[in-house]
Amino acid sequence: MTDAADAAREAGPRDLVDRIIEEWAQTFPDVDVAPIGVFGRVQRIAAISNAQLDRNLEEHGIGRSEFDVLGALVRARRPLRASEVVSTTTLSGASITKISESLSRRGLLERKKSERDGRVVLLWPTEAGRRLVDAELPRRLRDDEDALAALTDRERATLAALLRKISLAVGG
């Protein structure tokens, strides 16, 4: 058994990732499976959190990507070009175009040509789009707060700093 599997067994209460680590360690005893302890949990937490957000957004008839676009526009507090939305989300330019057209058809976003350059399309949320973000962001943050409730403020700060370090290391 590897050090990662041993550490997983000794760490206290076990989760699904501990079992996965042990299984991989048994299957590949000569491979260090320790990174699964971090990335497996990050992916699992993200999947659970995203599934909850998806359930919350269903009542509004939008998906996570559409919410990300609306959120980017509400945060900016000014009209944005599609390329600016790309730079503040994880979505591609083609996705932004498709999503903005869909949100526009549903009355959640406005698309207008720039007065300075008619080739540029500016995006901003309608009042309905803003109300949707105003309703869902606090609910999302409450769900996130519930997930973090077991951590002290110091632990949260440490975790955020460590995750930032990894994010920067992988290109984020």
Side-chain angles (χ1 to χ4, degrees), residues 24-46:
W24 280 123
Q26 290 171 359
T27 304
F28 293 97
D30 298 329
V31 176
D32 180 10
V33 296
I36 296 170
V38 174
F39 286 97
R41 286 185 177 91
V42 167
Q43 291 168 355
R44 181 154 168 72
I45 292 164

Side-chain angles (χ1 to χ4, degrees), residues 53 56-57 59-77 89 99 103 107-109 124-142:
L53 178 60
N56 292 344
L57 293 175
E59 70 187 58
H60 302 286
I62 69 168
R64 209 174 329 127
S65 295
E66 293 163 315
F67 184 70
D68 287 347
V69 169
L70 286 173
L73 296 172
V74 169
R75 281 193 319 268
R77 299 187 319 255
T89 65
I99 290 168
L103 290 171
L108 298 171
L109 174 145
W124 65 90
T126 62
E127 276 305 309
R130 187 174 306 280
R131 281 193 308 272
L132 189 154
V133 173
D134 289 348
E136 281 309 313
L137 183 65
R139 181 158 60 170
R140 171 64 187 257
L141 293 173
R142 281 191 305 274

